[in-house]
Amino acid sequence: MSTARELPVVGPALDRVDGPAKTAGQARYPSDFDAPGQAHGALVQSTIAAGRITGIDTSAAEAAPGVLAVFTHLNVPPLPRGPMTGLGVSPPAPLRDDRILHHGQHVALVVAETREQATAAARLVRVGYASVEPVLDLDDPRATTVDDPWGLDSERGDVEAGLAASAVRVEATYTTPDNTNNPLGLFSTLAAWDGDRLTVHDATQWPSMVRETLAHVFGVPETSVRVLSPYLGGGFGAGLRAWPHVILAVHAARELRRPVKLVLTRPQMFTSVGHRPKGVQHVRLGASADGRLLAIEHRGRSLLAAEDDDYEPFAAGSAVAYACPNVLTRDQQVRANVPAPVSMRAPAHAQGGFALESAMDELAQALELDPLELRLRNVADVHPALGLPWTSNALRECYAVGAERFGWSRRPARPRSQRDGHWLVGQAMAGVSYPWYQAPSLARATVTADGHAVVGGSGMDIGTGTYTVLTQLSARLLGLPPERVRLELGDSDLPKAPQAGGSGLTGALGSAVHDACTKLLDAFLDLVRDDPASPLRGSAPEDVLAADGGIRRRDDADRSETYDAILARHGRRELSADGSSTPARPAELGMAPAGAFGAHFVEVKVDEDLGLVRVSRLTTVIDGGRILNEKTARSQIIGGAIGGIGMALFEDTITDPVSGRIANATFGDYLVPVHADIPAMDVTFVGEPDRASPLGTKGVGEVGLVGVAAAIANAVHHATGIRVRSLPITLDALL
Ligand code: MOS
């Protein structure tokens, strides 16, 4: 039998199998779908951040051309809140009552014959408000707080004693702003009821979760709901929840007995589908004179919506980042009148890594020790909390290979000691990990009489390469050329797979695909076991491998048979097998499942007169376990690192401190990096297949982002001597 263990450690760089369809405009994104007889929705959103609706006058809107209905809290019955689904916390139901909890809250949905009519009529809805002063700030004394929401706070040893015993201590406060996920594709929902059956084309990273939510909210069996999202124009976490606008579109379609399509506008994307919430972090580190960490204390506070539960535990990652005997991590969420946050690429770790890896640079400076050397002296060679060996860990190799490729040894120790004309030049680094995350998954593999395979699960390709890597994997396991394998994803009717999130889908769905392909070969062997006409008769799974469109004996290449020949002789049109995967348990493994590790080395140039920061070089080395496709994996790391550059230098969702209105909710005003901001990036993979799964993969998505902002801030310090502890690093901090 061919197994995943026989796959190469770094898989071939197959071009994206969905690339031609995407570049030719043939790939249909959620908003590209239409249904016969569909109506169109447009949202009306609150213009205050806190208070009550005193009255809604919908008469002008209802009289406008083409308008079919206006839904408000006055005519929408109380809808149940969606269920907890895995990590997915459902937002509160929409249009519940007259309370306003944030600026941009949906207060009405206008449905009309055309999108233009709905949009025009939405402007005619008159809403009266009684406004109260909103809570918008972390330090507002009126705010309520939630301590340790996910039970991730941790403590080992005695931090105060560790600090007291330390020869060198640093202590600093770091702040990160609100960032907005901003996938390019506008989120949309097309909902169509046929009796009690519901079909929804939705912009989601998690079709099975949307199905479960809609079945729960609308009181129909899950088998009556189908959620489709074969392609998605990006998500970055925004597609990990069934948002209120999705519920509203489905409700309107049921009431009107017509399909309803609702496409958010770009400004609505800033308030309706989550964001990375702002926060403050306080870090204290202590070390011996020779640079051994004796204490890490990391406390984080971040904003949470008034009635929502999507938490960001900033500090949790610091519990396992380094070998250190005394560690304390504490997270607190502060409720405010802000739109609901959501995971945004490397949630919590993006912010937490900025604080910890900045503080490590400050500690290196205080110790007068090379920052890379400081990390090397504190590598956690076993899991620092569990004391178990890692299932894989090539962090030391990440450091060594990165330092070599970057030319770290040529870096002068003293800050502000290099210049290139009017540019001050600096180099710095960060060492990171992204935790292991895995969820159960199902998959199915089928070989048809024409010698093709169809492999699928309800997981997504959100632009990350799932179609491609699973095509490669299936082709390899079934002994077929990739062009004879078709992947089916993004459909909740397919075997249930988890979210495209947490950098965990390839491992989860890939392991289920591995299982399905293995069982499919078994099924073929069962067919020919007693078949006198088959050269494979009597073969056991370990006697054969998949090759050349069929199965052949390992000990005799001439004893082989193609799938189509077997199926034809047995009068079968196809043969299928179901596979599954379940996450490994640390106790059973006797090891600590490892996430991905990485090291980022960055060079920046800072204009001495203008304060302008340019990233001039970036070298990233990642231990992602087995890499299924070198090209798509590299693309993930490059994309992640660009997200880190955006976080470090550009991205900032600005909320007016009085009204609670987002002041830059457009792509013109919300800055993200463009090509001219991005240097050539050097990305290398190191490491071994991970031992937590037969597939051996680890997540290669979010680890590309974690720590990049710290590496840039550290490099800015090395260039200028100025320590910036607040993101984004704008020129005013450097003048
Ligand atoms: Mo990612 S924030 O898990 O989509």
Side-chain angles (χ1 to χ4, degrees), residues 124-490:
L124 302 176
V125 175
R126 295 282 164 257
V127 187
Y129 297 104
S131 187
V132 300
E133 190 187 334
V135 174
L136 297 169
D137 194 64
L138 284 159
D139 298 320
D140 192 315
R142 298 170 301 154
T144 57
T145 56
V146 185
D147 288 306
D148 191 19
W150 279 350
L152 294 174
D153 282 1
S154 68
E155 185 165 11
R156 65 173 183 265
D158 180 340
V159 158
E160 292 303 336
L163 286 166
S166 293
V168 174
R169 287 174 282 274
V170 295
E171 173 170 4
T173 300
Y174 304 88
T175 65
T176 52
D178 289 318
N179 287 169
T180 299
N181 306 51
N182 277 322
L184 207 52
L186 296 172
F187 274 26
S188 69
T189 303
L190 168 61
W193 288 89
D194 177 7
D196 269 353
R197 287 199 58 85
L198 171 66
T199 303
V200 178
H201 288 271
D202 190 42
T204 181
Q205 294 170 234
W206 196 351
S208 67
M209 177 275 294
V210 177
R211 173 167 92 156
E212 190 180 340
T213 303
L214 294 177
H216 176 90
V217 170
F218 292 97
V220 294
E222 272 189 53
T223 47
S224 299
V225 181
R226 186 177 187 190
V227 177
L228 293 146
S229 191
Y231 294 101
L232 185 68
F236 308 122
L240 291 173
R241 309 182 79 190
W243 295 104
H245 74 270
V246 180
I247 310 292
L248 281 179
V250 173
H251 174 73
R254 190 166 67 170
E255 292 295 305
L256 295 170
R257 298 173 184 278
R258 286 178 66 168
V260 170
K261 182 171 178 174
L262 174 61
V263 183
L264 299 183
T265 64
R266 182 57 62 185
Q268 288 169 354
M269 291 288 286
F270 279 73
T271 54
S272 309
V273 294
H275 64 281
R276 176 189 284 155
K278 72 175 169 184
V280 176
Q281 299 173 73
H282 193 75
V283 180
R284 292 198 294 167
L285 301 179
S288 61
D290 66 348
R292 311 269 164 197
L293 279 167
L294 296 176
I296 299 174
E297 182 186 82
H298 190 162
R299 293 174 185 271
R301 302 173 77 218
S302 73
L303 279 190
L304 181 66
E307 285 188 11
D308 194 51
D309 305 294
D310 203 87
Y311 307 115
E312 293 271 317
F314 291 172
S318 290
V320 297
Y322 291 103
C324 175
N326 306 299
V327 178
L328 179 84
T329 69
R330 291 281 181 270
D331 275 294
Q332 184 181 63
Q333 314 285 307
V334 179
R335 292 201 181 278
N337 295 112
V338 296
V342 78
S343 295
M344 175 171 157
R345 215 150 168 90
H349 296 268
Q351 303 98 316
F354 168 63
L356 181 65
E357 287 301 297
S358 292
M360 285 295 282
D361 201 68
E362 302 203 40
L363 181 63
Q365 194 193 4
L367 285 161
E368 297 184 18
L369 184 65
D370 179 276
L372 174 58
E373 185 55 34
L374 174 63
R375 267 96 171 172
L376 285 169
R377 287 186 193 176
N378 292 285
V379 168
D381 288 312
V382 298
H383 189 287
L386 302 174
L388 292 170
W390 299 98
T391 49
S392 62
N393 185 339
L395 180 56
R396 287 184 186 279
E397 198 180 349
C398 293
Y399 286 136
V401 171
E404 176 64 28
R405 296 183 73 91
F406 186 77
W408 183 257
S409 62
R410 294 191 292 278
R411 174 187 185 266
R414 199 164 55 80
R416 209 180 175 98
S417 59
Q418 302 165 94
R419 76 171 47 240
D420 173 9
H422 61 102
W423 298 95
L424 302 172
V425 182
Q427 298 90 13
M429 50 84 58
V432 299
S433 61
Y434 192 77
W436 180 81
Y437 169 71
Q438 208 72 100
S441 185
L442 303 176
R444 182 173 302 136
T446 301
V447 167
T448 53
D450 60 358
H452 284 67
V454 181
V455 178
S458 72
M460 286 289 303
D461 189 327
I462 60 174
T464 43
T466 319
Y467 280 114
T468 309
V469 298
L470 294 184
T471 296
Q472 277 178 282
L473 177 66
S474 308
R476 173 88 189 205
L477 294 173
L478 296 173
L480 291 166
E483 55 276 13
R484 275 165 60 186
V485 176
R486 183 163 56 84
L487 248 290
E488 292 183 335
L489 298 172

